[in-house]
């Protein structure tokens, strides 16, 4: 079965919070290489791992993962303020 | 452990490793049956290729951590590692089965002696090395 590509904001969130790949990997219980694969969107995480990541960043899963390419956060923020 | 071994180097290492294994086997069998080479020259060449085999094994499989990765217990792997190792083992099974069948038929049809302990040991080595070779060939990041 070929699964759909999942897009994510892991790299952005990790850099924003100044966490190394190794630290994040330790917190979510994977090898640090796996974090690299996740950030490059070359590996789709399991539901359990996706929830672990969302719990770690304290953000909803749908904010971190998407089946469609994600807009840059600045763009999203701008759109939100424009609509308000 | 923090230095990524470039994929090109890994692939070259895999090819050298297989080449050394095949050459060591060929020269061993030729020397055993006394074809073309003197005992001394034959076993020197076998020793040379064994040295290359060990050297490339250490570089490609041990230093990269691929040997450890393919021999770890499942409970010590994360979900992506389980996925890639399982995939590599699945492909390895087919490759290994084909190699063994070809070898058995070759010995049976051509009547070139029996599968001795050296060939059996090489097959055992091959069985353990194929999954790691597949990962060395395909994985983007190997530390």
């Amino acid at each position: 079965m070929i699964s759909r590509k999942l897009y994510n904001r892991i790299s952005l969130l990790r850099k924003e919070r100044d966490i190394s790949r190794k630290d994040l990997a330790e917190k979510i219980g994977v090898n640090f290489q796996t974090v690299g694969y996740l950030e490059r969107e070359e590996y789709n995480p399991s539901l359990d791992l996706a929830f672990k990541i969302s719990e770690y960043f304290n953000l909803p899963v749908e904010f971190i993962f998407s089946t469609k390419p994600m807009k840059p956060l600045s763009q999203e923020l701008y759109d939100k303020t424009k609509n308000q | 452990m923090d230095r990524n071994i470039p994929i090109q180097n890994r692939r070259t290492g895999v090819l050298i490793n297989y080449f050394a294994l095949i050459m060591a086997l060929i020269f061993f069998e030729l020397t055993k049956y006394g074809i073309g080479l003197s005992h001394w020259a034959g076993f020197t060449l076998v020793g040379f290729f064994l040295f290359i085999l060990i050297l490339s094994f250490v570089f490609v499989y041990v230093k990269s951590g691929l040997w450890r990765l393919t021999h770890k217990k499942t409970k010590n792997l994360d979900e992506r590692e389980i996925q890639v190792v399982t995939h590599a083992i699945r492909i390895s099974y087919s490759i290994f089965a084909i190699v063994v069948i070809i070898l058995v038929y070759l010995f049976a049809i051509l009547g070139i002696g029996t599968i001795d302990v050296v060939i059996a040991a090489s097959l055992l080595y091959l069985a353990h090395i194929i999954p790691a070779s597949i990962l060395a060939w395909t994985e983007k990041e190997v530390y």
Side-chain angles (χ1 to χ4, degrees), chain B residues 25 29 40 49-50 58-59 65 79 89 99 106 110 128 131-132 138:
Chain B
L25 262 182
E29 293 300 320
W40 188 86
F49 283 112
L50 277 180
V58 170
F59 173 74
E79 56 176 57
I89 289 172
V99 169
L106 214 66
L110 300 177
H128 279 270
T138 56

Side-chain angles (χ1 to χ4, degrees), chain B residues 118-133:
Chain B
V118 175
I119 294 173
S122 303
L123 285 174
L124 187 68
Y125 172 74
L126 200 65
H128 279 270
I129 223 68
I130 298 174
S133 318

Side-chain angles (χ1 to χ4, degrees), chain B residues 52-63:
Chain B
I52 302 291
L53 182 80
I54 293 166
L55 217 64
S56 54
F57 171 78
V58 170
F59 173 74
V60 184
Y61 305 114
V62 180
K63 268 189 151 182

